[in-house]
Amino acid sequence: MITFILNHKITKTGFLVLVVLASSCKKLIEIPANPPTAITEAQQFADSATAMTAISGIYSYTGFASSGFMYNNAYFTACTSLSSNDLVYTATYDPNMQQFYTNGVNDLNTLANTLWGNPYTGLYGVNAVLSNIAASNVFSAPFKTQITGEMKLVRAFYYFNTVNLFGDIPLVLSTDYKKTSVLPRTPVEGIYTQILSDLADAQKALPAAYPSDGRVRPNLYTVLSLLSKVQLYRKQWQAAYDAANSVIGSGLYTLEPDPNKVFLDGSNEAIWQIPATGSNNVTQEASSFIPYSSSIPTYLLSPELLNAFETGDLRRDAWVQDYLVNVNGTDEHFYGPYKYKNLNATTTPYTEDYMIFRVADLYLIRAEAAAHLGKTTEALDDLNLVRARAGLGASSAVTADEIIAAVLGERRIEFFCEWGNRWFDLKRTGTIDAVLSAEKPGWKPYLALYPVPRPQRQFNSLLTQNPGY
Amino acid sequence: MQIQAFCKLLSYLHEDSKSLLTKTILVMKLSAILLLVTSLHVAARSTAQKVTYSGKAVELPKVLSVIREQTGYVFFYDKKYMQDISPITVSLKDAPLELALRTILQGLPLDFEIQGNTIFINRKTPDIIIMDAPEEPKAALEDTIRGIVWDSTGIPLQGASVLIKGTKKGTRTDLKGGFVLKHSRQMAVVVISYTGYEDKEVAASGDAPLYIFLKRSQNPLDATVVQAYGSTSRRYNVGSISTVTAEIIEKQPVTNVLLAIQGQAPGLAVNATSGIPGSKVMVQVRGQNTIQNTTTLFRPYDQPLFIIDGVPFATQNNNINQLSSLVSGSSFNGGISQPGGISPFNGLNPADIESISILKDADATSIYGTQGSNGVILITTKKGKAGKDGKTDLNISVNTGFNSSARQVKLMNTQQYLQMRKDAFAADGITPNLIPYSSGYAPDLLVFDQNRNTDWRKVLLGKTSNNTDVHASLSGGSYQNSFLISGGYTRSDFNFPGDFSDERLTLHTATHHSSIDNRLSVDFGTDYSYDKNNGAGGGISKMLNPPNTPDLLDAAGNISWTYKGIDLTNYQFYNFLKQPVNVQVHNLNTSLHLNYKLLPGLSLSANLGYNRNTTAETRQNPASSQNPLYSSRTASFAGGTAQTLNVEPQIDYNNTIGKGVFSALLGASYKKNLSNSNSIEGVGYADDRFLGSLVGAASVYAYDNSSIYKYAAAFARLRYVYDRKYILSLTGRRDGSSNFGPGHQFGDFGSVGAGWIFSEEKGFASAQHFISFGKLSGSYGTSGSDGVGPYLFQPFWGPGGSYISPVQGIRPNFPTNLYNPDFSWALKRSLNLALDLGFFHDRLLLNATYYLDKEGNQLTGYPLPIQAGFATVAQNVDAMIQNAGWEFTLTTTNIKTKNITWTTNFNITFNRNKLLNFPNLESSSYNNSYVIGKPTSIIIGSRFKGLNPQTGLFEYYTKDGKATNSPMYGLAAQGGDYAPIGDREVKYMGGFTNNFTYKRISLYVFFQFSSQMAPNWLKSVYSSAPPGSFPANQPVQVLNYWKSPGDQTPIQRLTSSYYGSVASDAAGNFGSSSGAYSDDTYLRLKTLSVSYNFSDEALRKLHVHDARIYVNAQNLLTITNYKVGDPETFGDLSTFPLQRILAFGLSFNF
């Protein structure tokens, strides 16, 4: 029967027609090389001009998209400040944020998942730029050096923050998902090795001058700022001291006399600041911390932090906002973070930039390192410089230990609600259990590391959980 | 004269084609003249005479003799013409003679001609006038049987099989229904058969050609079954196809046609996502074939391929709306679909649909290649019908209905609620206070009126809403040119406070043309619809407001934002109702089918189609709808367009070869699918009145998206039916898809099907009496799936959106996807075995089908840990999913008498799904989602031990079998306490229909049933803050909470803390435990329809016929063990409930 069908003349002709049709199929299913909303990676890195749009993406502080500079949602600040008892969370509708405040973060917490995931989203872009720049011949050597240096600094910065939040983390240095998706956690020391290696490369590559206007794309001193902080965290006092010394010694940066002007675009104190290019050009810190109405702010300074301000501290007025709210018929005072003040920048764009490193940090790093190295006078000088800007008199600390304690106290005030400084300082100095058991009911030492989010462990069974969770 | 002419007709087909054209033209001219002369003649002579006569089931000659008596006209006819004519029923009063004759002969294969006082009754001839023909040599004539085959309305049947009885000698009828069998005179009986018609045996005698009229078969086995690129009958089909016809669809008072097929076909699961008018309906054929990473309340669905009149539906069953609203769901990505949202099928008027075929096995779906692996649903719209005697028919159908919630959840009253709240605080020893961020914050206990009682569910959903549906259709024409135009208007309100509705206008047309020589046929149809869904921003979850929540509107009807200093924002829902969300959908579907019969048995055809679906949405957030403390006027505008262009040339060949019928279909398919979507948001308006435009916005943000999909294929189907007993069917397809990268674009698919109608075997019928039909059939083959978005095989970078400002003057680009150049088709292998039995002259038909489907090389959005930079990548996974099942259909005619008929239809499906294998599952992203050997709907969670009567807390088993309040996440292999705790497979589902008619009354009763394990109401209760810890009402059943040691209850001790305490932890773990799932088995009286047909006599004066009044009811009664909430929406407490619909209607024809 089948033979019959195949022998049949018409069937044969038909099959012939089909064969002809099939061979033209390839043409029929051709689609344009790229959709109108995107270009291919090859097109993206065709020359230095198009490559710059990818690099621009690395520094893009979009505000609410999960792309660009990945600390663009204020979660990093809010979560660590709640965990470290700098802030009080007043809203009842978001159990995720609540968990940070009550130190009850579990592995299903979606914000912990964001804090874990966002840096890796950012790292993909960084690694993609690095590999495409390295693999191509179309770029000039200086361009390659400059961009490679910048990307390595950004990469080190992502890892520095993430390793301090979660401990051991996967070390991802390429874009090949088949390899990167099955990486286990690398121990903290291994992450620091990579950070130091990236910083060393960046230090060699980047010049003292900023490659573009402002202090958006990093220069040598940005690298040294991060290096100084990394070494401080690693208790490498001399290295931390040296790096901080270089930054301060460059003469490029001075403390802004007026605390109100520290976070403005063009601040003299800024070492690395990124323009807020998202919705309304406001920083996410401003839109998260400043209430839109005369209701109780969602985030309040904790009583402990408020008490830590000395009388006459200019920062208490400049960086803390007093909200008078009518609660059940009575006016009550509520105090919220107010370093970033601009809630509607549509009309006056870019008045505030998102500050990553500022020279006050370097003074205090140098002070702390100096104290550890026995250079108490130098340490006190740096500490008092920061205090003076706040309108405060010289510190009464005398011994190295006293100075170190004073510096850490100063850091709490100077850097509250900034880059998890308080949370990290408590952890790196080993004081976290003593301090937080007093301030936070139910504090347990394992809570110093956030849990590895469950979805991540679900999709990568090699990821272990932090102890205690 | 006519006989000679007929011979000529037969012979000229075999002449050379040169003279064919001229002769055809000549024929046409002559026919025109003849027709004109005849009609003038008739008109001139017959107007004066009147006829009055009534009679039921009277033999035609008797009627004619009455007319002779009344008019004096004499009738002339051949007696044998009357042999095939069944008795007629007629009622005439003072009818002019010509009208009387037309009425009497209406629907009969007879015609009349008036000459003088004589009326000649002749057999109807086809519309071709036959010319005189030269004599053929006598010898040839003598040994030849010739004839012509028509259906009972005089349409020539081409391709009917003509077989000399008891031999292998046979032929097929040609274009005009004619056939010639040479050298056959001695074998005198011919058997004529044609799909969908009753067979007929005719003895050839004398020289006269045989005039053969076939009657349409009433046997369900011969009913037309629409299949891929054509149609077949249940008798000869070897694939698995279920069909739902207009007759069934029109009884369901639903606006979405997908709901009308729920429970009607075995193997087809249909789930409403919500009761809101216009909302999406999920459909799945024969179980889940693919692994997916979405976990929602609904199972992730494999959506079948939807084709309407040959045109692939551009949107398929994906969401078409982008803005969030009451209907929710918002992903217009042309790819993975989410439940919720507006159904694209809302634009189809069920009244315009003729049939829906569900294609399930490889024989039926392989011909769709890569698109067929999830089954195919073919929707065929109504076509024009030639009017009886050229009469044009107007049908008007009107109905109006009332909707209410089908299965209400009873919530606590104030007294009960306050008791729960007080007990919750007391349980933790906390004094309620008014500190807004303290855990004791309880304005409902301290400030709100303690005696006020509002059932917020009633406020939000208590309204009975209305449905209105009007449908009119006009059809008519002749066999050669017929048309249908119909229009419909449907309006369904929401039972929500305010003016919310879904309104739909539909226009359907179908035209048919056959050329005079019957070679060319053209079918053109369009469907256009406009749907407007007026909804609101949300607010449905506020039905769980405390029952003593103060008035949310002030006396003037404005929104109240505070009550005695308490902020009411979190309780407010009128604000959402004042945020209008308007979705407008236009859908155009147009199809052209051309067919040209090139040679006897050989035709060329083409399907050309275009479908376009456009969506325009607006959402406004006026300041008046917002808390004045933080109001910000915004407006969103979104639009989406999805288009499909479809071109399918085909060659069709049919012939009788030996004792069998051979048919071949060869074709090619080209499809282009384009979709675009955009959304624009305006913010910073100065005035609410500008929200309809973008001009007044201070800033505008825009997003857009577009995708392109091209597809090309060549396909073939070969079929041979030998001796009406043995059927062989082969299909094959080569497919190319633009969704894949170079080297992976093309794939080959095919199937083999075979059938054996054993009841046709000699001796079978004589061996027993009751089995009248028996068929064994089976098929095996492959189909595929290319269900991913375009371009994913390449890495892309793109600008994130218009809201992103340049960084230092450079607009940024971001990486948009991970890429994998190597992914390709998922491949499904299907085996289908079926047994069809007919008993007692096919009054009882049973179909039993077993199928075994295995889909491998799974194409999936593979979930990745975010460390890879993206959460998913398109990738093939070497996993195999099996669906095996049984489907049974029983169709019976229980009673069939003159006055009473009772038919029953029952179907039931048992599907068993399992993950057959999955190499390296343990190290894959699915390690905690799937288990080999278990269904894809497996639930992995903790094993619920129960409530500890001493502590009043929920307890779960650890992996070692100990009790704990907080089990560890993860399977035991990963150190956790979790284990497979069940699956959500539908164990069985089906439908049971009974149709009764008694004289003019008909009753249709349809039950639908389903059984599975599903999330229960407690999951909904415990997936938010534990009862009592939050100002939120609960179902009244929650009152049965644990109060003192020893209490045995399903509800945990209350707690005032919703996190951080042992009680809240124990409560929080409930949702992922086995306690959150229960048996969900229901039997639902889905449809009850009663109708009454008026007698035509009663209506004649109104010039109305076929009038009917009816009542259709939907979701009238539910029998279930499912405790709280609707078993179809799985007890979700804040979902828009499914509707109980009661519709009253009237349908009549002019």
Side-chain angles (χ1 to χ4, degrees), chain B residues 1-3 5-6 9 31 34-35 81 108-113 121-130 148-151 153-156 176 211 213 479:
Chain B
M1 179 199 98
Q2 287 205 345
I3 295 166
F6 177 64
L9 164 72
S31 69
L34 266 173
L35 277 172
Y81 293 172
L108 302 178
L110 297 174
D111 229 336
F112 66 92
E113 193 180 344
I121 304 282
N122 286 315
R123 276 223 159 115
K124 221 178 240 179
T125 52
D127 292 347
I128 316 143
I129 298 298
I130 298 160
I148 191 158
V149 181
W150 287 283
D151 81 349
T153 58
I155 297 170
K176 287 150 193 165
Y211 288 82
F213 291 83
Y479 158 65

Side-chain angles (χ1 to χ4, degrees), chain A residues 1-2 4-5 8 10-11 13-15 17-18 21-22 25-41 43-45 50 52-54 56-62 64-65 67-69 88-93 95 98-99 102 107 113 116-118 120-121 124-125 128-129 132 170 172 175 177-178 180-184 212-217 275 277-281 292-296 300 326-329 334 346 350 454-461 463 469, chain B residues 293 434-438 441 564-567 570 599 602 629-630 649 651 653 655 657 662 664 666-670 683 698-699 701 703-706 708-716 718-720 728 730 734 736-739 743 745-746 790-791 793-800 803-808 810-822 862-871 873-875 922-929 968-970 974 978 1030 1058-1059 1072:
Chain A
M1 198 357 253
I2 292 174
F4 166 75
I5 292 168
H8 205 273
I10 288 168
T11 320
T13 326
F15 271 122
V17 172
L18 286 186
L21 283 171
C25 273
K26 218 162 205 167
K27 275 252 157 65
L28 288 173
I29 58 172
E30 265 177 16
I31 55 174
N34 62 289
T37 49
I39 56 174
T40 64
E41 192 157 274
Q43 292 164 338
Q44 178 66 57
F45 293 97
T50 60
M52 277 314 293
T53 64
S56 171
I58 303 292
Y59 302 118
S60 170
Y61 178 93
T62 56
F64 49 87
S67 51
F69 186 70
V88 169
Y89 189 65
T90 69
T92 48
Y93 46 79
Q98 273 284 2
Q99 286 182 358
T102 58
D107 66 348
N113 196 36
W116 170 283
N118 276 2
Y120 285 108
T121 309
Y124 181 88
V129 172
N132 278 287
V172 176
T175 55
Y177 80 90
K178 283 180 182 157
T180 59
S181 64
V182 292
L183 288 173
S212 63
D213 289 347
R215 291 159 181 189
V216 180
R217 286 171 57 196
T277 51
S279 172
N280 294 342
N281 301 317
Y292 282 82
S293 68
S294 56
S295 58
I296 301 170
L300 301 177
N326 184 303
V327 179
N328 310 325
F334 294 91
T346 317
Y350 306 132
R454 189 185 294 187
Q456 304 310 323
R457 298 186 62 213
Q458 191 172 342
F459 298 146
N460 179 2
S461 58
L463 295 180
Y469 290 100
Chain B
N293 56 342
L434 282 176
I435 304 166
Y437 49 92
S438 125
Y441 183 64
K564 296 189 179 170
I566 301 295
D567 184 359
N570 288 341
L599 292 167
L602 181 70
L629 293 177
Y630 27 80
I651 306 166
Y653 179 69
N655 206 353
I657 293 169
F662 170 72
L666 303 165
S669 176
Y670 169 75
V683 299
S699 321
Y701 303 113
Y703 314 75
D704 67 357
N705 198 3
S706 78
I708 181 166
Y709 170 43
K710 285 187 185 175
Y711 184 96
F715 55 84
L718 307 176
R719 227 167 104 94
Y720 190 65
L728 181 69
L730 303 171
R734 181 165 177 82
S737 163
S738 66
N739 282 352
Q745 291 179 316
F746 291 89
Y791 291 116
F793 55 89
Q794 289 182 79
F796 278 102
W797 290 64
Y803 58 89
I804 295 174
S805 308
V807 181
Q808 301 197 311
I810 302 173
R811 283 203 62 79
N813 270 356
F814 308 99
T816 62
N817 65 301
L818 277 181
Y819 80 106
N820 165 15
D822 298 328
Y862 186 78
L864 293 172
I866 193 66
Q867 65 194 66
F870 287 87
V873 65
Q875 182 177 294
E922 301 73 28
S923 60
S924 80
S925 296
Y926 295 106
N927 64 77
N928 268 312
S929 324
M968 289 277 285
Y969 168 78
Q974 283 125 26
Y978 281 22
F1030 201 72
Y1058 51 87
Y1059 60 88
S1072 45

Side-chain angles (χ1 to χ4, degrees), chain B residues 75 154 195 218 237 494 806 840 873 971 976 1017:
Chain B
F75 284 91
T195 306
Q218 295 303 308
N237 178 28
F494 300 6
F840 314 114
V873 65
L971 286 164
W1017 67 286

Side-chain angles (χ1 to χ4, degrees), chain B residues 495-804:
Chain B
N495 38 22
F496 223 63
D499 187 18
F500 303 110
S501 65
D502 189 89
E503 284 179 280
R504 172 176 70 196
L505 279 168
T506 55
L507 175 70
H508 169 68
T509 69
T511 52
H512 168 83
H513 169 75
S514 298
S515 64
I516 199 151
D517 63 0
N518 215 23
R519 280 177 175 262
L520 176 72
S521 75
V522 181
D523 281 279
F524 179 67
T526 56
D527 273 284
Y528 179 75
S529 72
Y530 168 68
D531 184 86
K532 188 169 76 168
N533 193 289
N534 275 327
I540 190 148
S541 61
K542 305 298 177 194
M543 60 194 172
L544 297 178
N545 272 346
N548 66 334
T549 306
D551 258 343
L552 296 172
L553 291 178
D554 66 16
N558 297 317
I559 294 174
S560 298
W561 292 105
T562 55
Y563 173 79
K564 296 189 179 170
I566 301 295
D567 184 359
L568 291 179
T569 308
N570 288 341
Y571 306 93
Q572 195 49 264
F573 57 82
Y574 288 104
N575 55 335
F576 295 112
L577 302 185
K578 291 188 177 191
Q579 292 166 0
V581 181
N582 180 294
V583 185
Q584 297 185 68
V585 187
H586 298 259
N587 188 63
L588 171 70
N589 198 60
T590 172
S591 65
L592 175 65
H593 180 73
L594 301 169
N595 187 300
Y596 187 76
K597 289 164 185 159
L598 196 62
L599 292 167
L602 181 70
S603 59
L604 301 177
S605 64
N607 284 335
L608 306 163
Y610 177 69
N611 178 236
R612 181 186 181 98
N613 186 294
T614 57
T615 311
E617 301 169 66
T618 61
R619 181 187 161 129
Q620 299 180 3
N621 296 333
S624 61
S625 75
Q626 299 177 54
N627 192 327
L629 293 177
Y630 27 80
S631 75
S632 140
R633 294 184 182 91
T634 62
S636 301
F637 303 83
T641 304
Q643 302 172 76
T644 303
L645 181 71
N646 189 53
V647 180
E648 296 185 319
Q650 291 157 50
I651 306 166
D652 229 314
Y653 179 69
N654 278 286
N655 206 353
T656 304
I657 293 169
K659 241 176 147 181
V661 179
F662 170 72
S663 57
L665 167 75
L666 303 165
S669 176
Y670 169 75
K671 182 176 120 169
K672 184 173 173 181
N673 200 322
L674 293 168
S675 39
N676 314 294
S677 62
N678 60 66
S679 91
I680 302 171
E681 191 186 16
V683 299
Y685 288 88
D687 192 306
D688 281 354
R689 285 163 293 197
F690 290 136
L691 291 176
S693 152
L694 281 167
V695 173
S699 321
V700 168
Y701 303 113
Y703 314 75
D704 67 357
N705 198 3
S706 78
S707 81
I708 181 166
Y709 170 43
K710 285 187 185 175
Y711 184 96
F715 55 84
R717 174 169 58 212
L718 307 176
R719 227 167 104 94
Y720 190 65
V721 182
Y722 179 75
D723 200 16
R724 312 175 65 167
K725 273 188 248 175
Y726 310 109
I727 308 154
L728 181 69
S729 163
L730 303 171
T731 62
R733 175 139 170 160
R734 181 165 177 82
D735 241 336
S737 163
S738 66
N739 282 352
F740 298 121
H744 299 280
Q745 291 179 316
F746 291 89
D748 299 307
F749 305 90
S751 73
V752 185
W756 174 37
I757 303 178
F758 55 83
S759 54
E760 291 285 318
E761 292 293 347
K762 263 180 208 153
F764 184 85
S766 53
Q768 45 76 43
H769 302 295
F770 54 94
I771 299 182
S772 45
F773 177 75
K775 179 175 74 172
L776 265 175
S777 59
S779 74
Y780 181 77
T782 56
S783 54
S785 166
D786 65 347
V788 288
Y791 291 116
L792 294 177
F793 55 89
Q794 289 182 79
F796 278 102
W797 290 64
S802 76
Y803 58 89
I804 295 174

Side-chain angles (χ1 to χ4, degrees), chain B residues 135-196:
Chain B
E135 292 283 336
E136 281 194 39
K138 223 171 178 178
L141 264 177
E142 274 173 359
D143 198 23
T144 299
I145 303 176
R146 50 194 88 224
I148 191 158
V149 181
W150 287 283
D151 81 349
S152 55
T153 58
I155 297 170
L157 294 175
Q158 187 233 341
S161 139
V162 184
L163 212 61
I164 308 274
K165 198 176 178 183
T167 72
K168 290 183 180 183
K169 194 172 162 89
T171 185
R172 311 266 285 172
T173 53
D174 62 20
L175 292 174
K176 287 150 193 165
F179 67 90
V180 180
L181 282 166
K182 285 186 177 164
H183 315 295
S184 312
R185 179 66 68 81
Q186 62 274 34
M187 299 170 278
V189 178
V190 288
V191 182
I192 292 91
S193 55
Y194 190 79
T195 306

Side-chain angles (χ1 to χ4, degrees), chain B residues 234-520:
Chain B
R234 189 163 159 189
R235 189 184 296 274
Y236 293 114
N237 178 28
V238 293
S240 186
I241 302 177
S242 299
T243 301
V244 184
T245 59
E247 206 182 6
I248 304 230
I249 293 167
E250 71 188 13
K251 293 199 166 81
Q252 326 277 336
V254 291
T255 53
N256 192 317
V257 74
L258 297 182
L259 287 174
I261 58 176
Q262 185 177 20
Q264 300 287 358
L268 179 76
V270 177
N271 267 64
T273 59
S274 138
I276 202 157
S279 63
K280 202 166 144 192
V281 178
M282 308 296 280
V283 177
Q284 192 181 61
V285 174
R286 284 187 174 173
Q288 176 78 14
N289 294 306
T290 55
I291 45 176
Q292 289 187 8
N293 56 342
T294 41
T295 46
T296 60
L297 189 63
F298 293 88
R299 287 188 301 165
Y301 264 70
D302 288 334
Q303 294 291 308
L305 172 69
F306 289 89
I307 295 178
I308 300 175
D309 288 334
V311 189
F313 201 45
T315 58
Q316 291 298 314
N317 198 13
N318 295 317
N319 288 358
I320 51 173
N321 58 310
Q322 299 176 73
L323 304 180
S324 67
S325 70
L326 274 177
V327 279
S328 76
S330 56
S331 79
F332 186 92
N333 56 14
I336 309 298
S337 54
Q338 306 292 327
I342 301 261
S343 172
F345 289 92
N346 203 35
L348 280 185
N349 195 329
D352 290 329
I353 290 169
E354 180 65 36
S355 75
I356 297 180
S357 282
I358 299 106
L359 279 48
K360 296 180 279 195
D361 72 333
D363 181 68
T365 63
S366 276
I367 202 156
Y368 291 107
T370 55
Q371 301 180 297
S373 75
N374 291 331
V376 182
I377 295 192
L378 300 178
I379 299 176
T380 308
T381 58
K382 286 182 176 161
K383 303 286 178 276
K385 281 187 190 127
K388 287 171 179 171
D389 291 327
K391 193 177 169 298
T392 303
D393 200 38
L394 173 67
N395 171 276
I396 293 175
S397 170
V398 183
N399 76 62
T400 179
F402 305 96
N403 306 344
S404 53
S405 298
R407 213 171 131 86
Q408 295 262 21
V409 175
K410 195 169 172 356
L411 298 171
M412 291 182 191
N413 63 27
T414 297
Q415 187 216 333
Q416 296 164 328
Y417 169 79
L418 293 176
Q419 191 59 51
M420 170 183 73
R421 284 282 279 164
K422 283 173 189 159
D423 286 358
F425 283 111
D428 288 352
I430 286 179
T431 313
N433 62 41
L434 282 176
I435 304 166
Y437 49 92
S438 125
S439 54
Y441 183 64
D444 50 336
L445 289 177
L446 300 174
V447 182
F448 295 173
D449 185 342
Q450 301 296 289
N451 296 314
R452 195 185 156 78
N453 188 24
T454 309
D455 183 348
W456 292 105
R457 174 171 269 270
K458 216 170 203 171
V459 173
L460 273 159
L461 297 167
K463 192 172 91 174
T464 296
S465 58
N466 296 315
N467 265 355
T468 309
D469 189 86
V470 183
H471 188 260
S473 75
L474 190 69
S475 73
S478 63
Y479 158 65
Q480 283 190 325
N481 296 293
S482 64
F483 78 98
L484 170 73
I485 302 171
S486 70
Y489 168 75
T490 311
R491 182 192 159 97
S492 324
D493 296 342
F494 300 6
N495 38 22
F496 223 63
D499 187 18
F500 303 110
S501 65
D502 189 89
E503 284 179 280
R504 172 176 70 196
L505 279 168
T506 55
L507 175 70
H508 169 68
T509 69
T511 52
H512 168 83
H513 169 75
S514 298
S515 64
I516 199 151
D517 63 0
N518 215 23
R519 280 177 175 262
L520 176 72

